[in-house]
Amino acid sequence: MQEWGPSCPHVFVGAFKLEHDMSWTPYEHIDKRSQDFALIDKVMNAQKALIDAEAPNFRGLIQESRNSLSATLTET
């Protein structure tokens, strides 16, 4: 408003940041929103690491044998 002086055409409403997804974030929430995006990036990069693996990883998805640490898969 100081730049415009008395000829400012509008009343100051607030400060906002235009995000990559074309949404507007109020100035006071910019840090929180940045942390949210950082967490999303971390999760997405972890998923990418799983996808880039050469062999499938079924650990935790199938019941493992009580006598061994590795599970065996059989084809039907």
Side-chain angles (χ1 to χ4, degrees):
M1 233 167 111
Q2 294 172 356
E3 297 172 7
W4 287 92
S7 63
C8 182
H10 304 287
V11 177
F12 179 74
V13 176
F16 297 86
K17 178 182 177 185
L18 178 61
E19 301 289 353
H20 294 287
D21 64 355
M22 303 306 283
S23 64
W24 293 95
T25 302
Y27 177 77
E28 49 282 340
H29 298 152
I30 290 174
D31 289 336
K32 171 75 169 92
R33 182 83 171 183
S34 295
Q35 291 173 358
D36 292 345
F37 282 134
L39 179 62
I40 291 168
D41 286 341
K42 184 176 180 179
V43 170
M44 294 301 290
N45 288 337
Q47 293 297 320
K48 183 179 181 301
L50 290 175
I51 292 170
D52 290 343
E54 292 180 13
N57 180 4
F58 296 109
R59 173 162 272 159
L61 299 177
I62 60 174
Q63 185 177 6
E64 295 185 18
S65 171
R66 292 182 188 193
N67 296 332
S68 69
L69 295 176
S70 63
T72 57
L73 298 176
T74 58
E75 293 183 18
T76 55

